[in-house]
Amino acid sequence: MNNNKNLFLSDDESAICNKYLEQGYVIAPVSDIDALSWIREKFILIAREELNISDDVSDSDLLNFIHERISIPELNDFRLLVIKRINSLSDFRQKYYQVAKSYLDIIVGNELSMQLKVNLSIQLPKDESSLLPIHADTWSGDSPFEVVVWIPLVDCYKTKAMYILPPDKNQILNDDFGKMAGNSSDDLYKSVQKDIDWIEIKYGEVLVFNQALPHGNRINMENETRWSMNCRFKGIFTPYNDKKIGEFFEPITLKPASECGMNYSLPVIKK
């Protein structure tokens, strides 16, 4: 990072910026644990209601071992129902933003657009139907100015988590993409497999990552289910590419000076 830019940042802010630029992501304690607790409680309530779970199983065990209560063929319908219900809660997206606010302020800025709907991933052990092949979101029309805020509801590690290709290794891939990509996403994965970073993140932490870097998941070979949310954020005034403001994004923190500037017009002198 340019040293002159560092003069305007605190040491902690500079460290976060440098880490994001060097490894393509930052993992840190959430900005607002109360907001995260509120979100997790809502997910657990919805899961209990939809699956008619009335026993005294702990919240952690309910999430980690939900595969004991739902089958793989039933999973996607359940996941979509949970997504619909959680996104219908009026405070949900505001709570989600609060979970990562301090890091978004540093990495992206404080005038933000937020994805209209938060996504949910539920990956059961040994489930081949919930795979996300290696990809970069920019390959399918996302703006390179976006970041993903990825929030786990359970501890995620090894194949229960996701992976990302660091920026320096991604540059090597970009320089010889035709050769390294092969004929399938699996060919591409095998060509970079030795270079990827597997994310290890605990409940109570947040991951902010550069979605222009290749990432994905593999079959969950652990004995617990992964629950994680993801949502994109970007600067209001940065390019949008295929996913437009009002269709996919919504401004959430427009400042008064910007609003005045957008509404400004020069005086008209009538003759």
Side-chain angles (χ1 to χ4, degrees):
M1 191 172 182
N2 186 295
N3 287 333
N4 288 333
K5 293 179 182 177
N6 282 339
L7 294 175
F8 294 86
L9 303 175
S10 69
D11 290 344
D12 288 344
E13 290 171 335
S14 293
I16 289 170
C17 290
N18 290 334
K19 182 174 289 187
Y20 184 85
L21 291 172
E22 290 167 7
Q23 64 183 23
Y25 64 89
V26 169
I27 296 174
V30 299
S31 302
D32 188 335
I33 190 63
D34 290 335
L36 179 59
S37 297
W38 183 94
I39 291 172
R40 191 170 187 253
E41 287 170 5
K42 299 301 181 185
F43 271 105
I44 290 166
L45 176 62
I46 292 170
R48 287 185 182 275
E49 289 179 350
E50 295 299 334
L51 298 178
N52 295 314
I53 299 173
S54 58
D55 54 52
D56 60 356
V57 61
S58 70
D59 292 343
S60 178
D61 282 350
L62 184 148
L63 296 175
N64 275 309
F65 299 102
I66 201 75
H67 52 275
E68 296 177 355
R69 300 171 185 265
I70 190 169
S71 67
I72 290 174
E74 298 171 319
L75 176 61
N76 196 50
D77 286 344
F78 170 71
R79 184 182 68 87
L80 293 175
L81 182 60
V82 174
I83 289 173
K84 181 178 180 180
R85 287 192 59 179
I86 199 73
N87 277 286
S88 70
L89 299 177
S90 59
D91 292 338
F92 174 55
R93 289 172 66 246
Q94 187 268 343
K95 298 285 188 184
Y96 197 99
Y97 164 64
Q98 290 295 329
V99 169
K101 181 182 183 302
S102 60
Y103 308 110
L104 287 169
D105 286 351
I106 296 167
I107 296 170
V108 186
N110 62 7
E111 288 191 290
L112 298 174
S113 284
M114 180 181 182
Q115 186 175 329
L116 288 169
K117 290 188 178 180
V118 175
N119 292 319
L120 171 68
S121 294
I122 305 175
Q123 192 177 14
L124 308 184
K126 300 179 177 61
D127 176 12
E128 298 184 11
S129 69
S130 300
L131 299 185
L132 188 62
I134 186 169
H135 69 289
D137 295 356
T138 48
W139 297 349
S140 57
D142 283 75
S143 169
F145 291 86
E146 298 170 20
V147 304
V148 174
V149 172
W150 197 94
I151 304 174
L153 295 171
V154 292
D155 293 349
C156 296
Y157 54 91
K158 297 181 180 178
T159 56
K160 189 187 173 189
M162 59 167 282
Y163 62 79
I164 189 166
L165 187 68
D168 57 338
K169 303 301 182 182
N170 181 55
Q171 188 58 56
I172 295 172
L173 171 64
N174 286 343
D175 290 343
D176 198 9
F177 189 83
K179 179 180 178 181
M180 296 182 68
N183 297 314
S184 68
S185 60
D186 204 49
D187 287 342
L188 175 56
Y189 175 78
K190 289 176 181 176
S191 72
V192 299
Q193 183 176 4
K194 67 181 186 304
D195 297 320
I196 60 175
D197 286 347
W198 278 98
I199 300 300
E200 184 166 332
I201 182 171
K202 296 178 179 180
Y203 171 72
E205 295 179 323
V206 60
L207 164 67
V208 182
F209 74 88
N210 178 358
Q211 46 81 53
L213 297 173
H215 57 280
N217 64 20
R218 303 294 283 178
I219 296 175
N220 177 8
M221 300 305 294
E222 316 314 317
N223 64 354
E224 298 173 338
T225 292
R226 168 164 72 91
W227 291 69
S228 62
M229 303 170 287
N230 65 85
C231 186
R232 293 169 178 81
F233 293 82
K234 64 188 298 300
I236 291 175
F237 301 107
T238 56
Y240 283 81
N241 286 13
D242 290 347
K243 295 182 177 177
K244 307 297 184 183
I245 192 167
E247 299 173 359
F248 189 85
F249 284 100
E250 174 189 38
I252 59 170
T253 54
L254 185 67
K255 301 301 181 183
S258 295
E259 187 172 351
C260 290
M262 293 168 66
N263 294 324
Y264 177 77
S265 59
L266 287 167
V268 175
I269 299 176
K270 296 182 178 179
K271 295 182 179 180

